[in-house]
Every structure is written in C-alpha cells, then in structure tokens.
Amino acid sequence: MARLRIGSRGSKLAVWQANHISALLQAQGHEVELEIIKTTGDKILDVALAKVGTKGMFTKEIEEALAEGRVDLAVHSLKDLPTELSAGFEIAAITARENSQDVFCSVRHKRIDDLPNGARVGTSSLRRQAQLKALRPDLDIHPLRGNVDTRLRKLAEGEYEAIILAAAGLNRLGKTDLMKQLIPKEIMCPAAGQGALGIEIRAGDATTRELLAFLDDSNARAATTCERALLNKLGGGCQVPIGAAAEVRHGRLHLDAIVASPDGSKILRESRDGDDPEKLGSEVGETLLRRGGDAILEEVYGRSFAVPQQP
C-alpha cells in the first residue's frame, strides 16, 4: 500500500475535507499524512474577494507544494480551482457531491421574504448579492469574509440580520443550527462546482491517479465539467456574478445558468439539455454572451471582455 501526503488549506472546512479524503484512502489500506499550507486567500481577510481578484488565491501555494513533491495530492473545494489548471497539474477525481445550493442563515428570520425592509445581509459574493438584490432590492448588503465559524459568530452577535452561505460547508461541519432556508436554485443559482471536492495531482502521475480512481464520481464529474466549461467560456471566477447548476436527469445533462449585474437590475437566464458536458457548458455560455452577458461582465471586470479574468 502507498504512503500519500495531502496538501490542504488550514480552515476547519478545508481540514474536514482533507480528513474525509484521508479516511477514504486509509480504508483502502494507504498510509496518509496531512500538510497544512497557508494560501494568499487565507492571508487577505479584510478585503472583499471580488475587489482583489481570485486567480489561484486559494490554490497557488498548494500547487507549488505539489510541483516540488512535498505533497502527492491536494484536496480543494472545486469552486476554488481555476477553470484552466496551471500546466503540470490535473484533476484526478471529483468526489460525490454534497448539496450545491446556497442557504439563508439567520437568528430571527426563517426566510428571505421575512426580512424587514433595509435589513443588513452579509455576503462577499457578487453572484449572491446580485440574486438577492433582484429578489429584494431594499436589502442592505455588506461584505462578509472569514471562515465559516467567523461568519456564523458575526451573525450570532447581531452584526447582520442574515448571511448567505453554501449548504455543503455547513452540512460537512455540522453547523446547521442557524440554517433556516435552503434557497431554491431558480431563486439563487449556485456557483460552478459548489459542493464538490476536486483532487489535484501532478500531471502524468499515473500511479497516484490510479490510487485515487475510486474517488471519482461520474455524475459529479459530468455536472461540474459542464459548469466549469460555462465559467471558462464566460471568463469568470468564483467571485463574479455567474451561476451554474448542472445535474444528470434521465441519463442526460441539464444545465441552468445565469449572468447578473451586481445590483440585480438585470439577470440573464439560460437552460439547456445535452450529452457532452464541455459542449453543453460552452454553448450555454456562448448564448449568454450573445444575449448581453458580455456587456454585463465587461462592466464587472472594468475592462474589455476580450481579456477575460480567470479565477
């Protein structure tokens, strides 16, 4: 049996995810070590991610450890991984997916509709902000950074009337006390790759790839490949107002996607079925661009869309 070293960020959620993969590998008889690596994104906590760009913010240092051979595999939240990996790396497995939806968390209110006019809501995601604003233009939306515990503490202490988080992280950590409403995807389209874990290795490392093959879930692979193809076509990262939700239905892929202006004044929606994940994602992305998504995204990037920003 092999000895494998896993690279991971140090947040509670990242460590939970790495330990989850470690346990599955140990059950196969492998010896596993965990190395915690601090990334740029973990160091910048006082600025909204949308303002600093997200290219490799949560992956660069981990990939350096991979390239240098200090670790054999990296466990990422898939939505943190750039849609085009740096040369020298590949995604060996995408695990069975947790719930990909966003959730409304609050101490006093059960649903978004219950919030009083002008309520202060926390999120640093332009995607969540745009869809919230479309639903409730009156809300006062403020940036919210930090790990899951920090965000929930700020909510409990009354800094916000509500916050929006990913269901997957709360479920994995068992932090569901303040989860009040699982937001339907037609109201808040999730981020591409949300709820999925991506296992990254050095490109061409056939031995490690073979050891990890049992972790790869075909439905999760197809759905997230489709979502990431859409994101790639639109040139967006996890912090731009783009949503993508794909799932296998009756043997075919179904993709729902949005591009939204940050103030929620315009949301473009597109849905389609297909069989080829890459092709479906790319075609839906192309349609959204043609329908006006290019103008929305150009405004967000503050520069020509001809030079799209990768996460």
Side-chain angles (χ1 to χ4, degrees), residues 47-291:
V47 182
L49 292 180
K51 293 184 178 178
V52 294
T54 56
K55 184 176 174 62
M57 279 185 65
F58 296 111
T59 58
K60 179 175 174 285
E61 288 81 2
I62 296 174
E63 286 184 337
E64 288 171 353
L66 255 182
E68 293 165 7
R70 287 188 282 124
V71 298
D72 303 300
L73 62 142
V75 179
H76 303 283
S77 291
L78 188 61
K79 70 176 184 178
D80 289 340
L81 266 180
T83 52
E84 290 185 354
L85 293 188
S86 303
F89 304 102
E90 64 179 86
I91 298 176
I94 295 172
T95 62
R97 201 172 193 176
E98 242 287 3
N99 192 316
S100 66
Q101 289 168 263
D102 290 303
V103 287
F104 172 81
C105 300
S106 181
V107 174
R108 295 188 291 174
H109 308 288
K110 292 185 177 178
R111 304 178 333 130
I112 295 172
D113 290 347
D114 296 337
L115 287 170
N117 275 3
R120 184 182 174 100
V121 179
T123 177
S124 286
S125 161
L126 286 181
R127 174 188 60 81
R128 289 172 179 154
Q129 171 186 307
Q131 293 178 92
L132 268 178
K133 280 287 193 183
L135 188 67
R136 290 284 307 271
D138 61 287
L139 294 177
D140 183 18
I141 298 174
H142 282 259
L144 175 66
R145 289 289 314 276
N147 59 37
V148 171
D149 282 339
T150 299
R151 297 182 190 203
L152 290 173
R153 177 178 51 76
K154 289 179 177 180
L155 173 63
E157 290 174 353
E159 279 192 48
Y160 304 90
E161 289 277 345
I163 62 175
I164 309 296
L165 297 173
L170 295 175
N171 286 339
R172 285 173 174 145
L173 292 173
K175 304 273 185 181
T176 57
D177 291 356
L178 295 176
M179 275 177 57
K180 297 298 173 65
Q181 179 190 12
L182 194 60
I183 308 174
K185 292 181 183 179
E186 54 270 23
I187 292 176
M188 186 164 289
C189 192
Q194 189 158 294
L197 301 182
I199 316 300
E200 187 180 23
I201 63 171
R202 288 180 291 276
D205 183 354
T207 302
T208 303
R209 187 194 308 126
E210 190 173 329
L211 293 175
L212 299 175
F214 77 99
L215 292 168
D216 196 50
D217 182 89
S218 59
N219 282 354
R221 169 78 71 166
T224 57
T225 296
C226 181
E227 293 165 5
R228 286 165 63 79
L230 169 106
L231 199 60
N232 196 42
K233 173 60 73 172
L234 296 174
C238 65
Q239 288 298 324
V240 294
I242 298 167
E247 62 179 331
V248 178
R249 293 182 182 174
H250 312 297
R252 300 197 82 201
L253 264 179
H254 176 82
L255 173 63
D256 293 309
I258 67 151
V259 175
S261 55
D263 65 1
S265 61
K266 189 170 189 180
I267 295 186
L268 302 175
R269 301 181 187 276
E270 190 69 29
S271 298
R272 196 172 303 178
D273 294 321
D275 298 304
D276 182 316
E278 290 266 3
K279 184 181 178 189
L280 177 59
S282 186
E283 285 178 351
V284 170
E286 185 64 48
T287 300
L288 285 166
L289 288 176
R290 208 167 48 240
R291 289 180 51 208

